[in-house]
Amino acid sequence: MKLTGAQIVWEVLKREGVEVVFGYPGGANLPIYDAMLDYPVHHVLVRHEQGAAHMADAYARVSGKVGVAMATSGPGATNLTTGIATAMMDSSPTVFITGQVVSRFIGFDAFQETDVTGITLPITKHNYLVTRVEDVGPALREAFYIARSGRPGPVLVDIAKDAQQNSTEWQYDPAPLKLRGYRPQRHPLGRQVEQALELIAQARKPLILAGQGVLLSNAMRELQEFAERAQIPVAMTLLGIGGFPANHPLNLGMMGMHGEAWVNHAIQEADLLLAFGMRFDDRVTGNLKTYAPHARKIHIDIDPAEINKNVRVDVGIVGDLRETLQTLLEQLPALDHAAWLEYINEMKGESAVRDIQYLPPDGHLYAAHVIHDLWRFTGGDAIITTDVGQHQMWAAQYYRVEKPFQWITSGGLGTMGFGLPAAIGAKFARPDAEVWAIVGDGGFQMTAAELSTATQEGIKVNVAVINNGYLGMVRQWQEFFYERRYAATPMRSPDFVKLAEAHGLTGLRVERREDVLPALEAARDAEGTVVVDFRVEQEDSVYPMVPAGADLHNMIRRPVRTAIVETGQDEL
């Protein structure tokens, strides 16, 4: 059948199972939007293209499908780039479709022309510039295949306006794609598996480092079976949270810069690290020269570029994590590491299990109180999205995630403004779920316009603004390392209650601990999206903290006299 390039775009999306698209129209992608009216895909009109990128990103993480966002040429496309880079760093399967000026004008500085493929080359898994209508369908099909296969990531397809307008004979080809030189499926080699099993059998102080690869490969069940059979404790990366139940006795909690103190000490004392789907990020390792000095290292990752990139390992296995764990489990015997587990429990010391709600009140509302109460109120069953900063680390510490795909945050890029649009994307992926965006007063203002998107779409997400009147994490660094010289970090914000009301939504304000639960209940019961402004202690800090480049065990600890403990260990 004869179709325009714009129609082919929607034909491919329909056959790829796309149900929702986040985007913003403009002159260079208007043919695509005109054709959209004849197809059963729900379009979400965002207020800024960055919001569209974050919505598509979170939609992909929660649904397991490919997220799709659209923008026009020039500023529309460049507004996507922060969200594309976020998806790239966090391995989110996403496809970004942008309009481009008419092909004969490309390279002549036409109105709203930007070389978006050149700009996004370092922050996409692959990208395409399509100038012929015949190439629209093949490019989009390849984009979806590349985005979801192997190590997932973003792919951009930039389509010239005349390629959208012109027509061609087109027939969908259902045959599986094979791209020359692209090998997304890799299988563990027998010798490497044998070497790994030998190291595991010899270890007396082993530790599993579980990253986002556990979630991306759907290896949650295999990880739990592996940890239980070998009696090996599990530490989580920030993006690995949810891949192993928080209440499991072998779950030690988060590692790294703001991880649990006993986890970092355990890493430094371990004699074997099993890195499962993580990349030894600098926020995880601290000083590489002193990182895990006594440990042999096994690294399993689907991306060969990650093996030996940051940390030299003894056994590197390139392959799908789930398949690799299944292979290891076929030969893994039951092991006993009771002495090592008991030692780690003793290491918890003064930052061991304590319920912060029973600590003596001092008249101040702390972010840890708010997040802890939110966890107890939701029973740990909500989808949590965050911005980036202090509130993000407190949420990682105090909201104990039991299930996969319910913790959505920006890890690698650390993108402020991610939380609210991510919550909207997550809600479209799971309309039945309770969704809370935990945001800071700084990051929230970067994408707060998406409140109108929530209003227009009639969806319900709840927004917890941890409002301390500062760019909190930057202020903390200034306190610790710059003699409290608070340059450009005190922040004056709008009245968030009135801001919510201006968008046609409900706004609430909380200043006392005893008012937290009533506000959470009111937010849950209200129709539509609710913004809750939590006025928390202004100069509280996230503890523990490993200074940038310091040894992993050399942590700044919360002073003993302070009421709030370091971690979120607790039971419902």
Side-chain angles (χ1 to χ4, degrees):
M1 55 182 172
K2 197 162 190 177
L3 298 174
T4 65
Q7 290 172 317
I8 293 171
V9 169
W10 295 106
E11 290 286 343
V12 173
L13 295 187
K14 181 176 68 174
R15 286 167 171 79
E16 291 291 343
V18 176
E19 297 175 343
V20 59
V21 169
F22 308 93
Y24 206 95
N29 67 351
L30 204 52
I32 294 175
Y33 273 86
D34 181 64
M36 177 184 73
L37 298 177
D38 297 325
Y39 290 86
V41 177
H42 181 76
H43 180 269
V44 177
L45 177 64
V46 300
R47 298 309 185 263
H48 190 284
E49 291 87 351
Q50 180 182 345
H54 294 330
M55 290 177 200
D57 182 340
Y59 178 89
R61 298 195 209 189
V62 174
S63 70
K65 303 176 182 178
V66 175
V68 180
M70 290 185 174
T72 190
S73 64
T78 57
N79 281 346
L80 285 174
T81 54
T82 296
I84 296 173
T86 302
M88 183 67 175
M89 291 289 282
D90 291 347
S91 302
S92 294
T94 42
V95 169
F96 297 92
I97 302 171
T98 54
Q100 185 54 275
V101 300
V102 174
S103 58
R104 67 178 181 275
F105 291 153
I106 293 175
F108 290 90
D109 294 330
F111 177 67
Q112 290 193 333
E113 180 197 355
T114 302
D115 179 10
V116 67
T117 53
I119 289 171
T120 60
L121 186 64
I123 56 171
T124 52
K125 192 175 176 183
H126 194 58
N127 64 27
Y128 295 84
L129 172 60
V130 179
T131 59
R132 302 187 325 132
V133 63
E134 293 84 0
D135 297 331
V136 172
L140 282 170
R141 285 200 65 209
E142 291 178 14
F144 276 87
Y145 173 62
I146 293 170
R148 66 164 65 97
S149 59
R151 179 178 179 174
V155 180
L156 180 136
V157 183
D158 192 37
I159 309 175
K161 190 171 183 178
D162 51 326
Q164 301 170 40
Q165 294 170 320
N166 294 338
S167 300
T168 189
E169 289 292 332
W170 182 81
Q171 188 69 39
Y172 183 78
D173 182 2
L177 283 177
K178 290 184 179 180
L179 302 183
R180 185 176 179 181
Y182 180 57
R183 294 179 55 208
Q185 302 302 324
R186 296 175 182 267
H187 307 287
L189 300 177
R191 179 56 187 154
Q192 294 170 334
V193 170
E194 291 176 6
Q195 292 173 335
L197 288 167
E198 290 172 5
L199 292 183
I200 294 168
Q202 297 166 7
R204 296 295 174 263
K205 297 180 179 181
L207 188 62
I208 294 171
L209 309 182
Q212 191 187 20
V214 175
L215 296 159
L216 294 175
S217 65
N218 281 294
M220 292 76 71
R221 184 184 64 80
E222 287 77 9
L223 170 60
Q224 186 165 334
E225 183 179 349
F226 187 98
E228 290 174 350
R229 188 185 304 177
Q231 282 296 288
I232 300 177
V234 180
M236 317 301 296
T237 69
L238 177 66
L239 290 180
I241 291 173
F244 194 74
N247 67 355
H248 196 287
L250 290 174
N251 189 335
L252 299 184
M254 187 173 69
M255 67 184 88
M257 177 173 281
H258 294 292
E260 314 287 14
W262 60 82
V263 175
N264 291 342
H265 281 301
I267 290 172
Q268 296 299 79
E269 296 190 35
D271 63 5
L272 178 66
L273 295 183
L274 298 100
F276 291 169
M278 54 88 73
R279 58 189 179 87
F280 289 108
D281 175 78
D282 61 287
R283 289 297 206 244
V284 162
T285 63
N287 182 5
L288 286 172
K289 293 181 180 179
T290 60
Y291 178 71
H294 313 295
R296 308 289 292 274
K297 300 172 183 71
I298 299 169
H299 191 183
I300 304 172
D301 202 285
I302 200 167
D303 186 352
E306 293 298 339
I307 306 296
N308 292 319
K309 184 178 78 173
N310 296 325
V311 173
R312 297 293 299 180
V313 300
D314 298 275
V315 179
I317 301 178
V318 178
D320 176 75
L321 179 60
R322 183 181 182 186
E323 179 184 346
T324 304
L325 288 179
Q326 289 171 343
T327 302
L328 287 168
L329 283 166
E330 292 173 359
Q331 304 176 59
L332 181 71
L335 300 171
D336 182 4
H337 295 110
W340 171 232
L341 294 170
E342 183 178 353
Y343 176 72
I344 293 175
N345 283 330
E346 291 174 354
M347 256 201 308
K348 293 181 180 180
E350 64 181 10
S351 52
V353 180
R354 279 193 280 175
D355 186 340
I356 66 173
Q357 71 171 339
Y358 297 124
L359 294 176
D362 62 1
H364 296 269
L365 178 63
Y366 291 93
H369 286 152
V370 173
I371 294 165
H372 178 271
D373 288 352
L374 175 61
W375 166 64
R376 294 180 76 84
F377 173 73
T378 59
D381 286 335
I383 293 175
I384 300 296
T385 70
T386 81
D387 265 1
V388 169
Q390 285 182 315
H391 68 277
Q392 178 191 31
M393 295 298 104
W394 280 316
Q397 291 177 341
Y398 286 93
Y399 197 98
R400 295 167 57 75
V401 180
E402 300 292 338
K403 300 175 183 177
F405 313 117
Q406 294 192 182
W407 168 255
I408 310 299
T409 193
S410 170
L413 195 65
T415 306
M416 293 177 67
F418 181 79
L420 174 59
I424 294 172
K427 187 67 174 180
F428 274 100
R430 286 267 315 275
D432 59 320
E434 183 173 8
V435 179
W436 280 86
I438 301 175
V439 300
D441 46 328
F444 178 50
Q445 292 183 68
M446 290 189 174
T447 53
E450 302 306 338
L451 289 173
S452 279
T453 303
T455 303
Q456 182 167 338
E457 291 294 329
I459 66 168
K460 180 175 181 58
V461 298
N462 293 316
V463 184
V465 184
I466 307 301
N467 185 357
N468 59 11
Y470 283 100
L471 296 175
M473 188 60 84
V474 184
R475 183 214 61 78
Q476 177 171 330
W477 282 56
Q478 290 171 333
E479 176 186 351
F480 288 176
F481 310 119
Y482 294 89
E483 300 177 341
R484 292 180 181 265
R485 292 163 61 86
Y486 294 160
T489 48
M491 170 169 277
R492 180 172 178 174
S493 298
D495 184 323
F496 291 130
V497 173
K498 291 182 178 179
L499 180 65
E501 293 171 349
H503 286 277
L505 303 171
T506 300
L508 305 169
R509 180 172 294 112
V510 176
E511 299 180 5
R512 302 181 305 168
R513 176 77 184 277
E514 56 265 35
D515 296 330
V516 172
L517 284 177
L520 298 178
E521 291 172 352
R524 176 182 280 175
D525 293 341
E527 292 187 9
T529 292
V530 177
V531 176
V532 188
D533 179 13
F534 291 101
R535 299 290 182 89
V536 299
E537 178 68 14
Q538 287 194 293
E539 293 191 64
D540 191 18
S541 295
V542 181
Y543 295 97
M545 179 179 180
V546 180
D551 300 338
L552 189 62
H553 56 275
N554 187 19
M555 290 166 278
I556 300 173
R557 306 290 294 273
R558 184 179 288 275
V560 175
R561 67 180 183 275
T562 308
I564 305 297
V565 296
E566 290 178 325
T567 70
Q569 298 295 310
D570 190 12
E571 295 181 0
L572 281 171

